[in-house]
Amino acid sequence: MLRTVTATRYVLPLREGGSLPAIVEADDLGSYVVKFRGAGQGPLALVAELVAGEIGRALGLRVPELVLMDIDSALGRNEPDAEIRHLLKASVGLNLALDYLPGSTMFDIAARDTVGPEEASLAVWFDAFTQNVDRTPRNANLLMWHRKLYLIDHGAALYFHHNWETMPEKAESPFTEIGKHVLLPWASQIKETGALAQQKLSRSLFAEILAQVPDEWLDPDAGGAAAKKRETYVNFFTNRLSAAGIFEQEAIDAHARLV
Ligand SMILES: Nc1ncnc2c1ncn2[C@@H]1O[C@H](COP(=O)(O)OP(=O)(O)OP(=O)(O)O)[C@@H](O)[C@H]1O
Ligand SMILES: [Mg+2]
């Protein structure tokens, strides 16, 4: 179960992030990186962040702890920057936050960061499964912290959820974008890791994860569509898992083309 914390202090915007995420302190004295519901990407980015992040964790990948963060209208009332003030105002209610990893650095091949074949293969499998395009050398969205790899920024994953009509057919897509994955050069065990990954995922796990997504992210107009949407996601992931051979083969071929 995700914990829920309450924001107590807006500390610092992370200007490099496109959605203007920020470091925020909470009532449990923790520091978090917050993805705001009111940001331009919209609430589906928070759904993707939560759902993909928890699938990654279930697979055994390192993802900073995710929590729901309650923001009330007092936060940021005295914020001098108008853009930040508006963002906080539009985000009153539940937002998504990740445990802040102080001193972490972005995974960088030029800095000779490397990763083992099992972990790289699992990360590639995970990003193909969740259709995450945001893991390129230019924007790796991988942090090194105490010499271990952490996966962040899954807001652009699950891109199928921006178009419900074409969603069923996309469950079986090969995901050709995997060719640009920053860890693909190390991913020499996709078949073996994929077999293990498939054992860790199931319809009931997907349902457990979707149950934690706040209604208002799935259904901002409160039209009563949240339960139906959860079921559609669960069906999608269950179908994609059965068709995993398709995207696995695509990733294996893409890896073979590199070496
Ligand atoms: N948990 C964390 N601990 C430490 N730093 C973090 C954490 N999460 C994010 N950051 C830093 O903040 C930056 C922006 O975060 P993130 O990539 O999630 O935001 P974004 O708005 O989706 O970014 P973009 O779209 O530009 O990739 C990251 O590149 C990283 O440097
Ligand atoms: Mg990012």
Side-chain angles (χ1 to χ4, degrees), residues 16-235:
E16 74 269 37
S19 62
L20 212 57
I23 301 176
V24 175
E25 279 173 10
D27 59 345
D28 65 347
L29 305 182
S31 294
Y32 296 90
V33 172
V34 183
K35 299 303 191 81
F36 293 104
R37 203 185 71 254
Q41 281 80 348
L44 287 184
L46 275 59
V47 175
E49 196 82 60
L50 189 162
V51 172
E54 290 305 309
I55 290 175
R57 193 186 319 285
L59 286 170
L61 291 160
R62 278 180 228 93
V63 178
E65 186 195 2
L66 300 181
V67 300
L68 299 175
M69 182 177 280
D70 198 19
I71 290 181
D72 74 40
S73 56
L75 190 83
R77 200 174 273 159
N78 300 321
E79 181 58 48
D81 184 319
E83 191 187 1
I84 294 171
R85 219 165 45 237
H86 289 143
L87 181 59
L88 291 173
K89 204 172 162 197
S91 303
V92 167
L94 289 178
N95 296 268
L96 186 90
L98 306 77
D99 188 23
Y100 174 62
L101 308 180
S104 57
T105 54
M106 195 62 88
F107 179 86
D108 183 1
I109 296 170
R112 300 198 191 172
D113 286 330
T114 63
V115 49
E118 277 174 39
E119 193 173 16
S121 303
L122 187 57
V124 165
W125 192 94
F126 162 63
D127 286 322
F129 181 69
T130 56
Q131 305 185 344
N132 181 14
V133 294
D134 260 359
R135 204 86 75 191
T136 60
R138 183 179 290 220
N139 187 11
N141 289 308
L142 295 169
L143 296 178
M144 295 302 291
W145 193 56
H146 296 282
R147 303 205 179 174
K148 291 203 164 70
L149 187 77
Y150 285 79
L151 282 67
I152 61 159
D153 194 3
H154 302 111
L158 320 190
Y159 71 68
F160 55 82
H161 66 176
H162 298 286
N163 189 343
W164 289 94
E165 280 68 45
T166 62
M167 194 159 159
E169 47 208 87
K170 292 212 181 112
E172 296 187 4
S173 81
F175 196 64
T176 52
E177 292 89 334
I178 205 65
K180 298 185 198 122
H181 198 287
V182 61
L183 299 183
L184 193 59
W186 290 277
S188 56
Q189 302 178 4
I190 292 166
K191 188 109 222 128
E192 299 82 343
T193 320
L196 293 173
Q198 289 192 49
Q199 290 170 18
K200 292 184 180 158
L201 304 182
S202 63
R203 172 178 277 279
S204 58
L205 175 88
F206 301 138
E208 257 173 56
I209 292 173
L210 262 302
Q212 308 199 59
V213 179
D215 280 6
E216 58 267 39
W217 298 358
L218 292 166
D219 181 25
D221 311 323
K228 186 86 201 127
K229 289 210 166 161
R230 287 195 182 88
E231 195 187 317
T232 309
Y233 281 98
V234 170
N235 288 338

